[in-house]
Amino acid sequence: MAEFEHDPSYQKFVEEAKTNGVVWTLADGEDLLVVESVEFEETDVMPFWSNKADAQAHCSDEWAAYKPEAIPLDVFCDGWLKEMYDDGVLIGTNWDESLNGPEVEPRELLESLARVQ
């Protein structure tokens, strides 16, 4: 079982992503938002949200130029997660307005999504 299985924001991310078939990231043209991990040194985290409104809420201040961008869940699972795993990038799931939330290994997230019916 994944370390974050009982975290409410992580559960919401997994359930909504599976139900809606899409996840949301922030993009500024071709540039996707990547931030430094607060948990692990020299590790990048790419935040994703399970709905557009939560992603949009982060498009202010230093991220004002970014816009929510939808990624179909099958594309996210079949391509993005593998690439992020290979690159050592973690996934931030449904971070709140203070940028608090899980930093998850791509493989853990893929396993969690596979368990949801």
Side-chain angles (χ1 to χ4, degrees), residues 6 12 26 29 41 45 63 68 74 88 108-110:
H6 300 293
K12 177 184 175 188
L26 298 182
E41 287 187 29
V45 181
W63 298 347
D74 60 337
E108 275 188 71
L109 180 56
L110 187 59

Side-chain angles (χ1 to χ4, degrees), residues 6-106:
H6 300 293
D7 182 290
S9 69
Y10 181 77
Q11 288 179 331
K12 177 184 175 188
F13 180 88
V14 170
E15 290 168 7
E16 284 189 349
K18 193 72 174 200
T19 299
N20 299 328
V22 67
V23 297
W24 296 85
T25 191
L26 298 182
D28 180 7
E30 294 292 315
D31 295 328
L32 300 175
L33 182 65
V34 178
V35 298
E36 291 182 11
S37 172
V38 296
E39 295 183 42
F40 306 100
E41 287 187 29
E42 298 183 29
T43 302
D44 288 333
V45 181
M46 188 172 219
F48 293 89
W49 291 268
S50 57
N51 64 68
K52 184 177 182 178
D54 288 347
Q56 182 68 52
H58 291 81
C59 297
S60 61
D61 300 325
E62 64 184 291
W63 298 347
Y66 287 84
K67 304 287 181 237
E69 184 171 301
I71 302 163
L73 189 60
D74 60 337
V75 172
F76 181 69
C77 291
D78 295 340
W80 287 59
L81 289 179
K82 180 185 181 329
E83 188 173 322
M84 287 189 289
Y85 176 80
D86 291 344
D87 292 343
V89 175
L90 298 176
I91 294 131
T93 56
N94 278 354
W95 285 357
D96 65 19
E97 61 280 348
S98 301
L99 305 180
N100 294 316
E103 294 181 2
V104 184
E105 290 279 348

